[in-house]
Amino acid sequence: MKQAIWGGVALALLAVSTAGAETRMFSYDPISPDAKRLTGAGVTILFNQGLLGSGRPIKVLATGVPAEARLNNGSQKDLGPGGLSAMSGVDADAMLFEVDSKAAQGKVYVRAFCPGSTRLWLSFSTIVIRRDLRIQAFGDDPKAAKDSGSKARLCGTLDFSYRGEWRLPKNRGPDPMQDWTDSPQHPDTTN
């Protein structure tokens, strides 16, 4: 009986947290050499924020040019034995996503972030307002035998400083060149 009650409570909490998710966009300026080299003007992350405050990324948008990478849930086992925790210099507790190379400019992101790879995974530090962001890029080695236990390689560590949040427009796509909400240079005057 107690198991059924706790199971029902868990399902109710899951339904509430899913229903309470809010889509937001944060923009970041590059601060590390890899971030400057690979993103130029930085990135904007479109994400769903749950009730607990942290976000689950949906898309990575180039801030200065119209390019986007759509994200799917990543699997640690795809990176090789031990996943992130088996690699040195890697944030083992980060959220892992795979760039959808068939959608939008996914193939461009794969080629730019990990030349020679056919797959690209991005790990994200916690996405929270006014907190800097770290993204680490990993690529596969298509020449390595699939059954040899080959591991993905770290292609870059991209560190960003928080820049601001974009106001998501109604009935049109977001424009990362406009629609600021918390930037002192572009205050939100609609409230």
Side-chain angles (χ1 to χ4, degrees):
M1 178 75 171
K2 283 185 179 180
Q3 262 184 329
I5 292 172
W6 283 113
V9 169
L11 285 174
L13 287 174
L14 180 61
V16 167
S17 68
T18 303
E22 176 185 6
T23 302
R24 299 176 76 180
M25 276 178 55
F26 290 170
S27 187
Y28 298 88
D29 292 324
I31 54 177
S32 69
D34 282 342
K36 290 175 183 175
R37 177 176 55 85
L38 294 171
T39 69
V43 294
T44 299
I45 309 296
L46 181 70
F47 67 97
N48 283 331
Q49 181 176 358
L51 291 178
L52 300 177
S54 64
R56 182 208 173 280
I58 302 167
K59 292 180 185 178
V60 176
L61 304 146
T63 302
V65 295
E68 75 175 53
R70 294 183 190 155
L71 303 173
N72 298 320
N73 286 330
S75 174
Q76 295 269 343
K77 67 180 174 94
D78 287 344
L79 299 179
L84 292 172
S85 59
M87 298 179 171
S88 66
V90 169
D91 299 332
D93 296 329
M95 299 178 288
L96 184 67
F97 297 90
E98 185 171 359
V99 170
D100 184 346
S101 63
K102 294 180 178 89
Q105 292 77 36
K107 285 184 183 180
V108 173
Y109 275 79
V110 174
R111 282 193 308 268
F113 281 50
C114 287
S117 293
T118 59
R119 295 175 74 184
L120 174 65
W121 295 269
L122 300 175
S123 69
F124 291 80
S125 62
T126 304
I127 300 173
V128 179
I129 193 164
R130 293 183 181 85
R131 186 179 298 171
D132 293 347
L133 178 71
R134 171 171 276 181
I135 299 174
Q136 291 187 299
F138 306 90
D140 65 334
D141 182 0
K143 296 177 184 167
K146 297 284 183 203
D147 57 344
S148 69
S150 65
K151 293 173 58 171
R153 60 191 167 99
L154 175 63
C155 299
T157 297
L158 295 77
D159 291 313
F160 299 93
S161 63
Y162 177 83
R163 181 175 183 186
E165 180 174 4
W166 300 105
R167 186 172 8 107
L168 289 175
K170 292 179 177 36
N171 301 324
R172 65 180 173 85
D175 181 356
M177 303 314 283
Q178 298 177 7
D179 302 326
W180 284 95
T181 60
D182 66 352
S183 168
Q185 293 85 15
H186 306 287
D188 183 3
T189 59
T190 61
N191 292 334

